[in-house]
Amino acid sequence: MPNSAWKDFETLESYIAKEQSLHPQSRGVFSNLLRRVGLASKVILSKAQQAGLIGVLGQYGKVNVQGEQQMKLDVIANEIMKSTFMWMGHVFGLASEEEEEIIQVERRQPENSEYIILFDPLDGSSNIDANVSVGTIFSIRRRVTNGGRCTLEDFLQEGSKQVAAGYVIYGSSTMFVYTTGNGVHGFTLDPMIGEYILSHENIRIPDRCKCFSANDSNYQKWDEPTREFADYIRYGDDERYKKTTSRYIGSLVADFHRNLLYGGVFMYPADAKTGKGKLRLLYECAPLAMLAEQAGGAATTGRERILDIKPTHLHERVPFIVGNRQEIDLYEKMVREADRS
Ligand code: AHM
Ligand code: MG
């Protein structure tokens, strides 16, 4: 068989269309939104691949050869995400880690605009100078108000109300991973043809705790049950953790993605003094929690399921422990026991 033989691969486009055809009443609006995330991610990727060059060129007066102002990559990624959805029908509002306020999308017929999109345009960007994997996280929800403009209320919804969530990881290969509540599916970008190809259908977190992921330098700041949990997994005698290894990149999408494929637990718990976590609920924790649950895992603060939290503000931070169901149950049990004593 010659190497050039065409094989009919499942692309992101065709897969989304197939999922849409399961809902005959669907108008394809939502499918279009997902496709646009795919498109935006390719534009972000093209910029991320010039990361080193942007830095180098930036030293010379911060203006590139085209005479454009040099910008940090997370700002560039934010602009790309905004412009991708700003003029798209049916999108009513946006929220981004990079923007203090919600972004209104002006509509002549607001009654036809039923979706809002939240995103972290380039998570882990502090690692980018060291060529570490970064990612774009997104969450799609239906608006809940019916006025002419979207309001904060449209955004402050529980994660359980998400209609889709996912991320793109820009790593040794680029992958688009998403769920619409019907399993988790992963697509790998074939750079030669510029298409995402289905490579990981119906991802399930393997039932083993291969990786334990946390920023260990915070150990002294964690509360007692959290330290107990970390010690139990890392140093305890439980057979299940004999082969567990510590792995922490410090880039959420990359840490989450590895654990999704290998099994394990990632945690960014609260600082015991402030009671606050670091990661943001609406566009970091909730989308990853939906993916984890759809893959058979779970996500918690220790006291509450992440998807049940009713946010009170846009950039709210929560403790975030995510991974295999068994480890999340164990952590919640340790927290409950500590609360009782
Ligand atoms: P960012 O959104 O500003 O990139 O910060 C979030 C990142 C996550 O990617 C990662 O899990 C975490 O911060 C790492 O934090 P730390 O350096 O404290 O371990
Ligand atoms: Mg982030």
Side-chain angles (χ1 to χ4, degrees), residues 43 90 103 206 314 317 338:
V43 184
H90 303 274
I103 304 161
L314 197 57
R317 296 170 192 264

Side-chain angles (χ1 to χ4, degrees), residues 60-297:
Y60 293 93
K62 299 207 178 326
V63 175
N64 70 10
V65 283
Q66 283 91 25
E68 297 161 340
Q69 204 69 24
Q70 294 293 334
M71 288 190 288
K72 280 178 70 189
L73 260 169
D74 35 16
V75 177
I76 295 174
N78 188 44
E79 292 304 319
I80 293 169
M81 288 298 275
K82 277 195 317 189
S83 50
T84 300
F85 297 107
M86 205 62 184
W87 309 113
M88 209 186 151
H90 303 274
V91 177
F92 199 46
L94 307 172
S96 163
E97 183 185 305
E98 299 293 330
E99 307 271 340
E100 205 162 324
E101 311 286 344
I102 58 173
I103 304 161
Q104 292 284 343
V105 180
E106 302 296 339
R107 291 278 169 231
R108 286 225 181 91
Q109 294 175 302
E111 63 282 4
N112 288 343
S113 303
E114 62 271 55
Y115 292 107
I116 55 156
I117 307 182
L118 303 96
F119 48 83
D120 181 350
L122 203 64
D123 185 72
S125 56
S126 67
N127 291 310
I128 206 153
D129 288 348
N131 230 335
V132 169
S133 302
V134 289
T136 299
I137 311 175
F138 66 93
S139 162
I140 304 179
R141 294 152 195 245
R142 281 205 171 78
R143 66 184 285 210
V144 288
T145 61
N146 50 21
R149 288 168 75 76
C150 61
T151 70
L152 246 191
E153 196 186 333
D154 292 307
F155 293 84
L156 300 184
Q157 302 181 43
E158 295 89 336
S160 56
K161 309 256 172 70
Q162 293 172 107
V163 289
Y167 59 82
V168 180
I169 177 168
Y170 312 101
S172 44
S173 62
T174 303
M175 271 190 79
F176 184 105
V177 178
Y178 83 98
T179 181
T180 55
N182 190 21
V184 177
H185 312 298
F187 299 77
T188 303
L189 184 67
D190 180 337
M192 297 305 286
I193 57 171
E195 288 278 0
Y196 283 107
I197 307 291
L198 179 64
S199 51
H200 298 65
E201 191 172 22
N202 204 12
I203 300 172
R204 307 292 296 168
I205 305 183
D207 182 23
R208 58 168 192 230
C209 188
K210 184 147 173 43
C211 302
F212 174 82
S213 316
N215 185 338
D216 197 50
S217 68
N218 293 330
Y219 182 85
Q220 295 301 338
K221 296 183 186 159
W222 297 340
D223 63 14
E224 190 52 44
T226 304
R227 292 205 297 257
E228 188 196 343
F229 175 71
D231 291 347
Y232 185 85
I233 290 188
R234 291 180 302 180
Y235 315 125
D237 295 330
D238 193 321
E239 248 337 281
R240 182 168 166 88
Y241 305 117
K242 280 280 173 306
K243 290 192 176 154
T244 300
T245 182
S246 281
R247 288 285 182 273
Y248 186 71
I249 298 168
S251 187
L252 177 61
V253 173
D255 278 309
F256 179 86
H257 184 71
R258 183 202 51 240
N259 291 7
L260 180 70
L261 298 184
Y262 294 173
V265 60
F266 168 93
M267 60 177 201
Y268 212 111
D271 177 311
K273 257 199 210 140
T274 62
K276 295 231 164 71
K278 173 181 183 184
L279 299 173
R280 269 66 46 123
L281 174 59
L282 277 164
Y283 41 78
E284 292 179 322
C285 306
L288 298 187
M290 181 177 181
L291 288 161
E293 288 198 4
Q294 283 293 316

